[in-house]
Amino acid sequence: MTRLLMAAVVGLATALPAAAQFQKPEDAIKYRQSAFTVMANHLGRVGAMAQGRAPFDAKVAADNTAIVSTMSMLPFHAFVPGSDKGAPNRAKAEVWSDGAKFKAAAEKMQAEVAKLDAAAKGGNLDAIKGAMGAVGGACKACHDDFRAERYSN
Amino acid sequence: MTRLLMAAVVGLATALPAAAQFQKPEDAIKYRQSAFTVMANHLGRVGAMAQGRAPFDAKVAADNTAIVSTMSMLPFHAFVPGSDKGAPNRAKAEVWSDGAKFKAAAEKMQAEVAKLDAAAKGGNLDAIKGAMGAVGGACKACHDDFRAERYSN
């Protein structure tokens, strides 16, 4: 498992994109919302297996966690200064006023997603369930602190 | 290059998600639009290098084509029957009335993206430029046939 986890973490590091290039604030907002949408969809497919709402298929689970892992690295480059406005979005001011805490929350999620991906590659449903719980906790913690209830423009 | 290309194609095959699960047509529309948004952003970063608008960095190019490669497999599972309506979108009726041609167009794009990813892994800018041209052609051909000028709901 340790080697699998290392492989996952190395994989994430190499998947890191360069600093995002966005012409307008609304481009950055659209991009980060899109990345979260794709990530949530594929995480949801694994979650359905973890919760018994879908039959467990180890290959399908691993294919989906690989996509989640790739996506987990993408949105945070797009919270560029000035992109709090420009299109309806739910980013709280704290994203920019407490950037260190936001970065830590993002990295916590990425680390838990890496563990989930490693667990899925291992093919053990119980390990996936445990890792999924930690991913869900990391998502929620960041949403609680940095995502508003309502969209503002 | 052949081995690199094979690796890219095998990588794509294993990245194939299971049949998409969407509760509502608008979920499928939002998902596929999101996947295209992320794909276009990362393709654009490589395109900027190919066109000399950004300095060429082989690692950055390869990191971005890897993301493009992953994204290229995702949207097409979301053109599910009945998802022509439900949210503003630009899918023409031909997506569903000529599904075989649409599938072929998608696979052509995916194949050209795999070649681009292989070229980027090879680190040769001229090879990337050539492959990028073919990707652009495949994108445009599919847009011409299957994407409307205007959004409809």
Side-chain angles (χ1 to χ4, degrees):
Chain A
M1 181 61 85
T2 304
R3 266 197 303 178
L4 280 171
L5 181 54
M6 278 302 296
V9 171
V10 170
L12 289 186
T14 56
L16 261 169
Q21 296 172 346
F22 302 103
Q23 302 247 323
K24 296 170 290 186
E26 53 262 47
D27 295 340
I29 293 169
K30 183 180 176 187
Y31 171 89
R32 69 197 189 211
Q33 291 175 338
S34 293
F36 281 125
T37 292
V38 174
M39 182 166 65
N41 180 279
H42 291 280
L43 188 63
R45 296 188 206 180
V46 185
M49 292 185 206
Q51 295 171 6
R53 289 182 285 110
F56 176 57
D57 181 314
K59 183 183 180 318
V60 172
D63 285 352
N64 277 288
T65 60
I67 296 169
V68 174
S69 179
T70 295
M71 303 311 297
S72 73
M73 306 307 293
L74 303 184
F76 303 99
H77 303 275
F79 287 91
V80 291
S83 66
D84 56 326
K85 291 185 169 59
N89 76 95
R90 297 168 70 184
K92 286 187 183 176
E94 285 79 1
V95 165
W96 294 276
S97 66
D98 197 352
K101 187 177 177 185
F102 182 59
K103 183 170 184 288
E107 289 173 352
K108 169 72 173 168
M109 180 277 286
Q110 291 160 345
E112 297 299 346
V113 164
K115 292 179 197 168
L116 173 64
D117 192 34
K121 284 183 171 62
N124 181 291
L125 181 56
D126 283 334
I128 293 171
K129 287 180 183 175
M132 179 62 78
V135 169
C139 291
K140 181 177 186 305
C142 193
H143 290 169
D144 286 348
D145 288 339
F146 296 104
R147 189 177 72 166
E149 285 295 311
R150 304 178 63 142
Y151 283 85
S152 63
N153 198 339
Chain B
M1 183 62 86
T2 303
R3 265 196 304 177
L4 281 171
L5 181 54
M6 278 302 296
V9 171
V10 170
L12 289 185
T14 55
L16 262 170
Q21 296 172 345
F22 302 104
Q23 302 246 324
K24 296 171 290 187
E26 53 263 46
D27 295 340
I29 293 169
K30 183 180 176 188
Y31 172 88
R32 70 197 188 212
Q33 291 175 337
S34 294
F36 281 126
T37 292
V38 175
M39 180 165 68
N41 180 279
H42 291 279
L43 189 63
R45 296 188 205 181
V46 185
M49 293 185 204
Q51 295 171 8
R53 290 182 284 108
F56 177 56
D57 181 314
K59 183 182 180 319
V60 172
D63 285 351
N64 277 288
T65 61
I67 296 169
V68 174
S69 179
T70 295
M71 303 312 299
S72 74
M73 307 307 293
L74 302 184
F76 303 99
H77 302 276
F79 287 92
V80 291
S83 67
D84 56 326
K85 291 185 169 60
N89 75 94
R90 298 166 69 183
K92 286 187 184 176
E94 285 79 2
V95 166
W96 294 276
S97 66
D98 198 352
K101 187 177 176 186
F102 181 60
K103 184 170 185 287
E107 289 172 352
K108 169 73 172 166
M109 180 278 285
Q110 290 162 344
E112 297 300 346
V113 164
K115 292 180 197 168
L116 173 64
D117 192 34
K121 284 184 171 63
N124 182 290
L125 181 57
D126 284 335
I128 292 171
K129 287 179 183 175
M132 180 62 77
V135 169
C139 291
K140 182 179 186 304
C142 193
H143 291 169
D144 286 348
D145 288 340
F146 296 103
R147 189 177 72 165
E149 285 297 311
R150 304 179 63 142
Y151 283 85
S152 64
N153 198 342

